[in-house]
Amino acid sequence: MNKIFNNLLLVMAVCGLTMTACSDDIDWNPGAAADGQGVFFPSSQSSSITMTETSGSFEVSVFRTVSSGAATVQITVTPGENAAGIFTAPTEVSFADGVTESKITVTYQNMERDVPYTLALSAVDSTPYGIPNLTLNIICPLVWEVVSTNAMLVDNMFEAFGAAGIKLTGITVEKHPDLDKYRFKSPYDNSYFESLFGVEGLLADDFDPPYIELDGETYPGGYYISGMKLGWKMVNGAGPEANSDWKSFGSVYGNLSNNLAAYPLGSYDDSKKVFNLGAVYFCFDNNGKEHNYPIEGSTLLYLNN
């Protein structure tokens, strides 16, 4: 027992000497104070900025490490991806006496929605103990505005096969926030084919119907529907069958013909809140050369059902 106790005292003594020796070897020098104003961007300043409007402004926080005296320091502004001519930021920031925090206001105009922009800011009179450079990633997402949640489409897609004037209800219609464009999800889903043709499970359970867009920007004076891939095809009355590459439907003008007088684009009657989809086609030939043309003006979208 005495031997164990003596050995324990020896180990403790060695550890004590080791700790003393280690502490004697450490030379600690405090960091040098930042020169000048020591300007930096706070870690709380987000580098990702989402705007709701395509023109406007936002603020960026700027700090300094000293508080005495009023000062104005330089900020370097470098436009990055897509930002040239869109963003304007001040090239200096001012601090009042006794104040360590300030803000700069960045203005912007004519941003394109869903387009990424970058803007780099650098503090000239910076400090090694803060963030001297800040790259802002800015975007104005495209958010469609809901104009109706209970619209009705009078459908004549399969008029040539005896299905005319089919009323499809409960359709949500959205408007582009900046452009004369409207869209709604394709109503030609499994329930449509089951009720019309008795075909069950035509499309996969996870199939996401595409948007049908009424484009009032591409051609003046009317609403254009590009050639749509609706997820299925029907050839000469055989089918329908699932097909993700088949362009089933769209405006005749701009897709099959440029004779606007013969094949008018869609139109909108604001007094009745109804879109007339104009002359549209349905492709039912393997070569894509034969089409069914529903009666002009018979395919209607009522915003207020």
Side-chain angles (χ1 to χ4, degrees):
M1 183 68 179
N2 289 337
K3 182 176 180 181
I4 295 174
F5 184 74
N6 289 337
N7 288 340
L8 179 59
L9 290 177
L10 177 61
V11 171
M12 293 175 65
V14 171
C15 289
L17 290 173
T18 303
M19 293 174 66
T20 303
C22 289
S23 62
D24 289 343
D25 291 338
I26 294 176
D27 293 323
W28 180 80
N29 294 314
D35 293 331
Q37 297 296 313
V39 178
F40 65 96
F41 300 99
S43 58
S44 60
Q45 173 64 56
S46 175
S47 61
S48 297
I49 299 178
T50 300
M51 312 309 303
T52 58
E53 302 296 333
T54 56
S55 297
S57 65
F58 59 88
E59 292 183 330
V60 176
S61 296
V62 186
F63 282 71
R64 64 173 177 169
T65 57
V66 299
S67 60
S68 60
T72 298
V73 294
Q74 300 299 307
I75 298 291
T76 300
V77 181
T78 306
E81 182 182 14
N82 302 315
I86 303 294
F87 295 88
T88 302
T91 56
E92 60 183 26
V93 57
S94 297
F95 296 89
D97 183 24
V99 175
T100 58
E101 179 182 2
S102 186
K103 295 181 183 294
I104 60 174
T105 299
V106 179
T107 61
Y108 62 95
Q109 59 181 356
N110 300 326
M111 286 180 66
E112 293 185 43
R113 294 186 184 271
D114 277 353
V115 172
Y117 297 87
T118 60
L119 187 69
L121 306 177
S122 298
V124 176
D125 189 359
S126 60
T127 171
Y129 308 113
I131 302 173
N133 305 306
L134 176 66
T135 298
L136 301 173
N137 299 288
I138 311 160
I139 195 166
C140 184
L142 177 60
V143 180
W144 290 74
E145 304 165 357
V146 175
V147 296
S148 176
T149 58
N150 194 31
M152 178 179 71
L153 179 68
V154 178
D155 169 55
N156 289 280
M157 175 79 75
F158 294 99
E159 179 188 52
F161 306 103
I166 306 299
K167 295 180 179 179
L168 307 174
T169 59
I171 295 174
T172 295
V173 180
E174 300 172 318
K175 184 185 184 303
H176 193 288
D178 303 316
L179 304 176
D180 186 15
K181 291 184 178 183
Y182 294 80
R183 71 176 188 177
F184 60 96
K185 282 275 191 176
S186 167
Y188 306 107
D189 54 13
N190 280 336
S191 62
Y192 175 87
F193 289 106
E194 184 176 353
S195 62
L196 201 62
F197 296 106
V199 177
E200 298 183 6
L202 173 68
L203 304 170
D205 292 338
D206 60 352
F207 175 75
D208 185 19
Y211 281 100
I212 295 175
E213 186 173 287
L214 308 180
D215 176 6
E217 298 284 336
T218 300
Y219 298 107
Y223 289 92
Y224 163 72
I225 302 173
S226 63
M228 297 294 304
K229 296 179 179 180
L230 299 180
W232 50 267
K233 76 173 183 177
M234 186 170 178
V235 178
N236 295 328
E241 64 182 56
N243 188 304
S244 59
D245 295 322
W246 190 257
K247 285 189 177 181
S248 308
F249 166 73
S251 296
V252 176
Y253 182 82
N255 291 304
L256 306 178
S257 170
N258 286 328
N259 187 343
L260 187 58
Y263 303 108
L265 294 170
S267 60
Y268 178 65
D269 186 339
D270 185 58
S271 64
K272 298 180 180 179
K273 304 298 181 185
V274 58
F275 283 95
N276 182 331
L277 271 57
V280 293
Y281 72 90
F282 165 51
C283 179
F284 68 99
D285 179 79
N286 268 324
N287 297 319
K289 296 180 179 179
E290 298 295 332
H291 304 86
N292 167 42
Y293 300 93
I295 297 174
E296 179 188 322
S298 63
T299 305
L300 306 172
L301 178 66
Y302 290 89
L303 295 184
N304 298 324
N305 178 20

